[in-house]
Amino acid sequence: MWDPAKYLDYADLRARPFYDLVTRIDATAPRRVVDLGCGPGNLTASLAKRWPGATLEAGDSSPEMVEAARAAGIDAQLLDVHDWMPSVDTDVVVTNAVLQWVPGHRDLLRRWAGQLPSGAWLAMQVPGNLGAPSHAVVRELAATPKWAAELAGTTIRDENAVDDPQGYADLLTDAGCVVDAWETTYVQRLTGPDAVLEWISGTALRPIKAALSEESWQAFRADLSPLLDQAYPPRPDGTTWFPFRRVFTVARVL
């Protein structure tokens, strides 16, 4: 279950890669703009402002996120991206921080590139830090005897869940697109106690929280907290630097 309020705790930091992605889309007057994985809709609204003449289509797999987006004025639909098919007038597709959760998303990208009309834009961004300590220590802790049984069967992403920029560039070039791919590491300034733990609680730790009772979830957090503080030492001023690598791809269908 997604918690829109928790996700929005760091709304400004989470928004920056979205804007860096969308800036590279050079569509002038698209007919239909699609936001796959729209979350609470706060960023989807900026697409409507940029392309006010376009039909806006938005969807998310989380009922909680769809409800939050609708409350924000976005006509969001509950959907699984595996089932989504572009309409013939789809000129822009944005999927921001979504495909890392989707097994088989490389095949989806190939399919979408083949289904979109000539000249359409396909823009995606995924976190590229799945091998970083913020994720590695979670996997290590989950595999310990204390937690392995309770978390058996829980999907915890490894670093192979996403590609590097060249991997996506090769994939979409072979699918018939002109591709712009890059990566950026944002050195994020987090504040407060357990800063990195709070950050990943809204995203990476979501499957673990869903698998545990509230008591076990609090115990898991207590075990994880010192490991994250060791990997990301808080500064004397109460802030914590959190390097966060992101992988971007913007493709135009030929």
Side-chain angles (χ1 to χ4, degrees):
M1 177 183 295
W2 282 94
D3 182 347
K6 185 68 177 177
Y7 186 81
L8 289 171
D9 278 348
Y10 299 96
D12 289 345
L13 293 178
R14 296 195 194 282
R16 186 177 174 187
F18 174 89
Y19 291 121
D20 288 349
L21 175 70
V22 172
T23 296
R24 299 295 295 169
I25 302 173
D26 197 24
T28 53
R31 296 165 295 174
R32 178 179 295 269
V33 174
V34 181
D35 188 0
L36 294 176
C38 64
N42 57 310
L43 299 177
T44 312
S46 70
L47 300 177
K49 291 179 181 178
R50 177 170 175 184
W51 293 296
T55 298
L56 184 64
E57 180 182 337
D60 201 283
S61 63
S62 162
E64 296 79 18
M65 288 295 195
V66 168
E67 181 180 357
R70 289 176 177 171
I74 302 298
D75 184 21
Q77 304 299 315
L78 189 66
L79 64 80
D80 183 330
V81 295
H82 287 103
D83 300 327
W84 179 77
M85 303 278 285
S87 301
V88 294
D89 62 345
T90 302
D91 290 327
V92 173
V93 178
V94 177
T95 172
N96 179 65
V98 173
L99 295 181
Q100 73 273 14
W101 297 104
V102 181
H105 72 265
R106 297 163 182 85
D107 290 334
L108 279 182
L109 289 170
R110 292 186 189 95
R111 175 162 67 80
W112 294 341
Q115 293 171 333
L116 288 166
S118 177
W121 296 81
L122 174 56
M124 57 159 286
Q125 180 266 125
V126 290
N129 68 332
L130 300 182
S134 55
H135 289 69
V137 297
V138 171
R139 292 191 291 267
E140 291 165 6
L141 179 60
T144 61
K146 179 177 180 179
W147 293 108
E150 275 194 85
L151 293 173
T154 302
T155 300
I156 302 175
R157 297 165 302 162
D158 62 26
E159 53 193 305
N160 295 319
V162 300
D163 287 334
D164 61 14
Q166 185 172 334
Y168 288 117
D170 281 340
L171 184 157
L172 286 166
T173 297
D174 292 344
C177 301
V178 176
V179 181
D180 179 15
W182 72 98
E183 65 180 66
T184 300
T185 298
Y186 300 91
V187 181
Q188 297 177 331
R189 181 179 181 270
L190 306 182
T191 59
D194 291 324
V196 176
L197 175 58
E198 293 301 329
W199 172 272
I200 65 174
S201 289
T203 52
L205 291 180
R206 184 180 59 86
I208 290 176
K209 182 179 180 180
L212 298 175
S213 67
E214 181 60 24
E215 181 180 359
S216 292
W217 166 239
Q218 294 302 328
F220 188 88
R221 281 174 55 95
D223 288 350
L224 183 58
S225 175
L227 301 177
L228 291 174
D229 279 350
Q230 182 178 8
Y232 303 95
R235 289 169 44 82
D237 63 0
T239 63
T240 302
W241 294 119
F242 181 51
F244 197 164
R245 175 176 173 257
R246 303 276 190 141
V247 174
F248 301 79
T249 309
V250 174
R252 190 177 191 195
V253 178
L254 292 173

